[in-house]
Amino acid sequence: MHISIVGSGYVGTTVAACLADDGHEVTTVDVDEEVVAAINEGDAPIHEPGLDDLLAAYGGDRLRATTDYGAVRGTDVTFIALPTPAREDGSIDLDVVEAGVRSLGDALAGKDGSHVVAVKSTVIPGTTEETV
């Protein structure tokens, strides 16, 4: 299966590496060019036990990273794994998620056929229906 993940932080990169290890072709999309370059070179942009070995094995090959949201059109499913930090009032900040899903929507608007989008980001009930 061809899988894309929007967000290359702790969750996105770890999930991507595990899916690549399971034999899937995985593309992560991130706005940080340094993170993208690290993944493609097989270097972990974050510290997570076991991640270094998986990225060394699959980075730039079965697991690729890009800043181009258009890459999601060549995949079957996209996982949203973007940060949702807490605001001072205790609510979650959805600004990054909203920007990411807008870019994802723009990219998928040009795709023929269906595409599954799954939200892995921490969101409150109703966010997927109302925002994503």
Side-chain angles (χ1 to χ4, degrees):
M1 181 178 282
H2 294 263
I3 299 168
S4 53
I5 299 174
V6 176
S8 298
Y10 283 94
V11 173
T13 302
T14 303
V15 169
C18 291
L19 289 169
D21 192 46
D22 269 352
H24 300 285
E25 295 290 325
V26 184
T27 302
T28 64
V29 180
D30 201 282
V31 297
D32 189 326
E33 292 179 3
E34 289 180 20
V35 168
V36 166
I39 291 169
N40 287 330
E41 292 168 7
D43 297 326
I46 53 154
H47 175 71
E48 186 68 30
L51 187 59
D52 289 333
D53 293 338
L54 291 175
L55 285 179
Y58 305 115
D61 183 31
R62 193 180 301 164
L63 169 56
R64 293 170 302 283
T66 183
T67 58
D68 180 12
Y69 273 84
V72 301
R73 287 190 295 271
T75 66
D76 305 304
V77 60
T78 301
F79 291 91
I80 305 295
L82 294 169
T84 53
R87 293 188 171 134
E88 286 184 25
D89 66 1
S91 65
I92 60 172
D93 183 346
L94 292 173
D95 291 347
V96 174
V97 171
E98 289 174 355
V101 297
R102 261 190 236 102
S103 295
L104 177 62
D106 289 344
L108 291 176
K111 180 179 179 173
D112 291 330
S114 61
H115 191 92
V116 175
V117 176
V119 178
K120 177 59 187 108
S121 299
T122 303
V123 296
I124 59 174
T127 302
T128 300
E129 184 177 350
E130 295 169 14
T131 303
V132 178

